[in-house]
């Protein structure tokens, strides 16, 4: 599967209500060891209720400058959240369907390599 | 949303390196083991996910290949190139991800650099002085 087929796809709850769009996919390099790096597994998805596009990740970091751009982008991504891959029930033509008991988590990057 | 929104559960922490695809991978420059530019990272191929089937209990998909190709047209007009038109660099060749993506192999051996090799061998090589380094 090509990742861009997953990005920007609608995200639905178990009852079919639209929660937003897939803003980004979070991978973690902690899978099975390979020749050089370990496998990068899909840990979860970042969902934004208002937009499917992102710019420089202001909504996921503490970066506050330039203030005007940071404030605008945080406002644009208000209500964004992160869902673990374990909370994804299935992929359908309509979008990504979450389990009924999915948890909304902060999308903040607690460990980051910087951008 | 702010990075520390009290209405949300705290962010997950992981032992391994965390990579948000759009933020840390897509559009990054790819360098080979000698630091020579190979391409830019246009997309990622992840292990297949079935449609309309419950994914509960199935292992999370992993990155199988880095994808590169001619994507200017689709970036302007939307969509993406057909999967068959994208060149694949296997994830197992990646050694480091930082500001750039570094590979552990020479770019000469990768399909991603064939246009450059073709131009070098068929055009530049026929220009006087085109077969050796500048003196």
């Amino acid at each position: 599967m090509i990742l861009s087929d997953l990005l920007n796809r609608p995200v639905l709850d178990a009852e079919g209500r639209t929660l937003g769009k897939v803003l980004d996919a979070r991978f973690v390099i902690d899978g099975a060891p390979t020749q050089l790096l370990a496998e990068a597994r899909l840990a979860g998805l970042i969902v934004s209720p208002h937009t499917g596009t992102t710019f420089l990740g202001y909504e996921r970091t503490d970066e506050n400058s330039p203030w005007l751009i940071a404030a605008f982008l945080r406002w644009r991504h208000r209500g964004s959240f992160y869902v673990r891959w374990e909370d994804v029930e299935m992929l359908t033509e309509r979008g990504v369907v979450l389990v009924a008991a999915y948890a909304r988590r902060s999308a903040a990057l607690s460990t980051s390599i910087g951008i | 949303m702010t990075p520390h929104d009290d209405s949300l559960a705290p962010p997950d922490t992981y032992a391994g390196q965390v990579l948000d695809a759009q933020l840390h991978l897509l559009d990054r420059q790819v360098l080979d083991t000698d630091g020579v530019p190979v391409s830019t990272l246009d997309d990622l191929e992840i292990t297949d996910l079935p449609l309309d089937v419950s994914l509960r209990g199935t292992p999370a998909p992993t990155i199988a290949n880095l994808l590169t190709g001619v994507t200017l047209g689709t970036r302007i007009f939307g969509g993406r190139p057909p999967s068959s038109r994208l060149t694949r660099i296997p994830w197992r060749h990646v050694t480091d991800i930082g500001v750039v993506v570094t590979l552990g192999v020479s770019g000469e051996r990768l399909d991603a650099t064939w246009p450059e090799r073709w131009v070098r061998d068929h055009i530049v090589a026929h220009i006087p002085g085109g077969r050796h380094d500048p003196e």
Side-chain angles (χ1 to χ4, degrees):
Chain A
M1 180 179 198
I2 307 293
L3 184 69
S4 53
D5 292 343
L6 191 60
L7 299 176
N8 216 3
R9 192 183 270 239
V11 178
L12 313 167
D13 68 8
E15 293 171 9
R17 289 179 297 221
T18 303
L19 301 172
K21 288 183 175 178
V22 178
L23 189 68
D24 210 340
R26 181 162 293 174
F27 292 90
V28 182
I29 303 180
D30 63 357
T34 64
Q35 209 171 335
L36 298 168
L37 279 182
E39 283 186 337
R41 70 176 172 89
L42 181 57
L45 304 173
I46 297 160
V47 181
S48 174
H50 304 289
T51 175
T53 59
T54 181
F55 181 67
L56 296 178
Y58 276 96
E59 73 283 0
R60 285 168 256 174
T61 65
D62 290 324
E63 185 60 54
N64 273 317
S65 58
W67 176 84
L68 191 62
I69 292 174
F72 170 71
L73 291 172
R74 290 229 169 84
W75 169 80
R76 193 161 176 251
H77 292 290
R78 63 198 183 281
S80 297
F81 60 94
Y82 171 78
V83 284
R84 290 177 180 166
W85 180 251
E86 292 79 10
D87 285 348
V88 173
E89 172 68 44
M90 68 171 67
L91 298 184
T92 68
E93 290 292 341
R94 277 192 66 202
V96 179
V97 181
L98 304 182
V99 297
Y102 78 93
R104 293 180 183 232
R105 297 175 185 280
S106 167
L109 280 162
S110 51
T111 47
S112 170
I113 60 168
I115 49 176
Chain B
M1 179 196 130
T2 65
H4 305 292
D5 190 332
D6 292 336
S7 65
L8 301 173
D12 285 339
T13 54
Y14 300 99
Q17 185 177 2
V18 176
L19 301 167
D20 282 1
Q22 300 238 49
L23 204 55
H24 300 131
L25 290 168
L26 300 184
D27 289 333
R28 294 295 168 120
Q29 191 174 33
V30 180
L31 304 181
D32 76 358
T33 189
D34 301 313
V36 177
V38 172
S39 183
T40 51
L41 181 45
D42 293 314
D43 214 331
L44 294 167
E45 188 171 42
I46 58 176
T47 47
D48 264 340
L49 291 169
L51 280 181
D52 302 320
V53 174
S54 176
L55 298 169
R56 283 196 213 190
T58 58
T62 57
I63 299 176
N65 295 298
L66 315 182
L67 300 177
T68 181
V70 181
T71 56
L72 179 62
T74 52
R75 287 197 178 204
I76 294 171
F77 298 109
R80 67 163 174 84
S83 173
S84 59
R85 300 301 299 270
L86 294 165
T87 304
R88 286 158 171 76
I89 301 172
W91 175 258
R92 65 175 186 276
H93 290 334
V94 177
T95 58
D96 185 54
I97 294 171
V99 175
V100 298
V101 177
T102 309
L103 305 178
V105 295
S106 169
E108 283 282 317
R109 297 169 49 197
L110 299 172
D111 289 344
T113 56
W114 78 262
E116 202 167 321
R117 289 199 301 273
W118 189 93
V119 170
R120 179 191 65 194
D121 296 341
H122 292 86
I123 298 175
V124 177
H126 297 292
I127 299 171
R131 288 179 186 273
H132 57 78
D133 288 339
E135 294 172 3

